[in-house]
Amino acid sequence: MDDRTPRPYASSDEDFEMVPDANGTSNTKDTLTLTAAAELSHVAPACARATMACNITAAASEGKRRPDVDVVVVMDRSGSMEAERKLELCKETTELLIEQLRPSDRFGLVSFDHRVKTNTALVSASSDVARAVKSLRPGGTTNLSGGLFAGLGLLSAAPAAERIRAVLLLTDGLANAGITEEQPLIAATKSLLDGTSTGLYTFGYGSDHNASLLQSIAGAAGDGKGSYYFIETAEKVVGAFADCLGGLLSVAAQNVVVEVKASAGRIARVRREGATRVDDRTWTVPLGDVFEEEQRDVLVEVELLGSASVEVSFALRYVDAANGRVSHATATASVAVDAAKAQTAVPDNHVTEQRARLDTADALLSARECADRRDIAGARRVLESQKAKIAALKVAAVTGSLVERLAHDLAVVLEGLANEDAYRARGRQWMTSKMMGHQMQRCMEDSDSDEEETMPRLMGSVGRARNVYRNTSKKSSKAAMMRGMSARRPSAPQPTSRAPASFTLLGLVV
C-alpha cells in the first residue's frame, strides 16, 4: 500500500478491505489507520514500567456521501430562558441547524420547563419542523430529566439502520423538577442508552447551570459519543451548535474498539476513559465514534516484572460509517531492557505529547476538586505546576500545536480562578469543558474560526494556539450557520474563518 500520509508511529499491519485498481494496486484510502510505538525503545534494568501507545487517525471524507443523521434537540424553556433573549437565540440557532440538514435526515424537538412536551416527532427536516421551533415560549421550572428521557425516547422509537443519531440537550439552570440528583439521573440515562448508538451532547448556557452534571450526562454515552459545551455568552450559541453539528455530519467510523494485549509482564493501566481489564495482559478500549480527521491515542503502562522485553499488540475493529462494513487493523510496539542502549534511547515525541495531554486533563480534574472545596489557592497551584511542566517539554518546538493548546487552556482556566466569584461564573465551566475535550481528543467549544487571529502567542512560538481537535467539517459548519444568521439579521457578526467563499457543504456530497 503506497500511503505517504505522515503518521505518528510505525504500523505493522494496516491493510484491510482494500479495493485494487486495474493495475492491482489499491486506490482506496483506509478510513482509519492504526500505528503504534513505545515511549522508549530500551529501558534500564532498574526501570519497572514502560509506556506503549497506539494512534488511530481518521481520513478526510474525499467526497464520500455521508450517512443520514437523526438529531433530537431537547431545549430548556423554563422561565429563566426568557432573560437576555436566550430562548430566542437558541430557537434561531436551531432553525439554522435544521437548514444544514438534508431531506433524508430527520429532526425531532422536545422542550421542557416543569412539564415536558414533544413539539415534533422524529420526521424529515423541513420548514414544518422549523415552525415548531418558532412556537416555543418560556414557562416554569426545570425538569431536565424529563426532557432528556423524552428526547432519548424519540430516537429509540424510530428505526435507526445505518444512521448517525444524537440528542442535543440545552439548559441554562439547575435541575429542580423530576430527577434532580446526579447519581440516579446518570444511572437512568445509561440504562436508556444501553445497546444504542446514540450520541449525547449537552450545552450549558450562562453561569447558573451544573457543569459537572452536564459533563456526566454527556459522558454517559461513552468515549467518542458525547460532549459538554459551555455557552458563556449569547454570541457563542451559534458556534457551539455548529461545532456539534459539524462533528455529527463527519462521522467516519462507529463502534470503534481497540483490544490491547501484552506478551509478558502486566498491564498496570490503560489511560483512556472506559478502558476495561480482561486479565493481567489484556484490556479492551471502546472509543465510540471517530469524526473525519480526528485522532485517538491510547497509552498503555506495562509493568515489566523482570521480563527482558515486552511486546504490546493493538487490534482495531470498527464499522465504516460510509458503507457499514466492519474493518480491522493491527499494530505492535515493543520495549527491551538494555542498560547500554537505554542511555541513548530518545523518547518518542508523540507519546510524550499525549502523556502531557492526559496529565493536563488530570490536573484540570484535581484543580476542580480543590476549587469545589473552596480551595482556590490549591487549585491554582495544581494548574501552575502543570503549566510549568508543559513549558519545559522539549517536544514543543517539534510538535507544538497540541502543546501550545495545552498551555493556552491552562492559562484560560487560571483566569477563571482569580477568585471564588470568577470560578462560579466561568472557571468551573471552562475547566469542565476543556478537561473533557482533552480526555476525548475532541473540540467542544466555539473556537478558532472566529478567535484564531486574536489568540495570544504562547511559549515564544510564532504559531497560535489553535484547537487541534477541530476538523474541517466543524469549521465549515460554523461558516455556513454564521452566513445563515447574517442573512436573517444583517447586524449579526460575520464569520472570519478562512473557509472558502463557496463549497460543497462540509466537504461532502449531499
Side-chain angles (χ1 to χ4, degrees), residues 225-247:
K225 300 291 294 182
S227 302
Y228 158 68
Y229 289 83
F230 171 38
I231 302 176
E232 184 179 4
T233 57
E235 60 268 21
K236 299 292 185 182
V237 176
V238 174
F241 267 59
D243 187 90
C244 179
L245 180 65

Side-chain angles (χ1 to χ4, degrees), residues 19-83:
V19 181
D21 62 18
N23 297 321
T25 59
S26 168
N27 61 2
T28 302
K29 190 172 184 178
D30 301 340
T31 297
L32 299 184
T33 57
L34 175 69
T35 56
E39 185 169 25
L40 289 167
S41 59
H42 296 84
V43 296
C47 187
R49 286 194 180 192
T51 298
M52 264 73 84
C54 76
N55 170 271
I56 299 164
T57 300
S61 70
E62 297 184 344
K64 294 179 182 177
R65 180 178 174 85
R66 67 166 175 84
D68 293 329
V69 301
D70 290 341
V71 178
V72 174
V73 171
V74 178
M75 191 175 299
D76 186 346
R77 55 176 168 80
S78 61
S80 59
M81 287 291 288
E82 187 171 15

Side-chain angles (χ1 to χ4, degrees), residues 43-182:
V43 296
C47 187
R49 286 194 180 192
T51 298
M52 264 73 84
C54 76
N55 170 271
I56 299 164
T57 300
S61 70
E62 297 184 344
K64 294 179 182 177
R65 180 178 174 85
R66 67 166 175 84
D68 293 329
V69 301
D70 290 341
V71 178
V72 174
V73 171
V74 178
M75 191 175 299
D76 186 346
R77 55 176 168 80
S78 61
S80 59
M81 287 291 288
E82 187 171 15
E84 302 173 7
R85 297 189 68 249
K86 285 186 283 190
L87 183 59
E88 291 304 312
L89 287 167
C90 292
K91 286 161 58 176
E92 289 182 5
T93 303
T94 302
E95 291 176 55
L96 292 171
L97 181 150
I98 294 169
E99 291 175 3
Q100 306 310 311
L101 302 178
R102 62 190 182 202
S104 55
D105 298 325
R106 298 187 294 193
F107 175 85
L109 177 66
V110 172
S111 63
F112 65 93
D113 53 3
H114 53 285
R115 300 154 298 183
V116 176
K117 181 178 181 180
T118 299
N119 301 85
T120 180
L122 194 65
V123 295
S124 176
S126 66
S127 57
D128 290 336
V129 295
R131 281 194 288 272
V133 176
K134 290 180 184 292
S135 69
L136 295 179
R137 298 291 182 271
T141 53
T142 309
N143 184 358
L144 186 150
S145 63
L148 172 61
F149 298 161
L152 292 171
L154 277 188
L155 290 179
S156 65
E162 298 182 2
R163 301 179 76 91
I164 307 301
R165 323 196 86 200
V167 170
L168 280 57
L169 169 68
L170 186 141
T171 182
D172 74 332
L174 304 175
N176 50 27
I179 302 176
T180 59
E181 296 297 321
E182 180 170 333

Side-chain angles (χ1 to χ4, degrees), residues 476-488:
S476 298
S477 181
K478 179 171 181 180
M481 289 181 69
M482 290 297 289
R483 283 196 294 272
M485 181 65 80
S486 298
R488 289 164 176 263

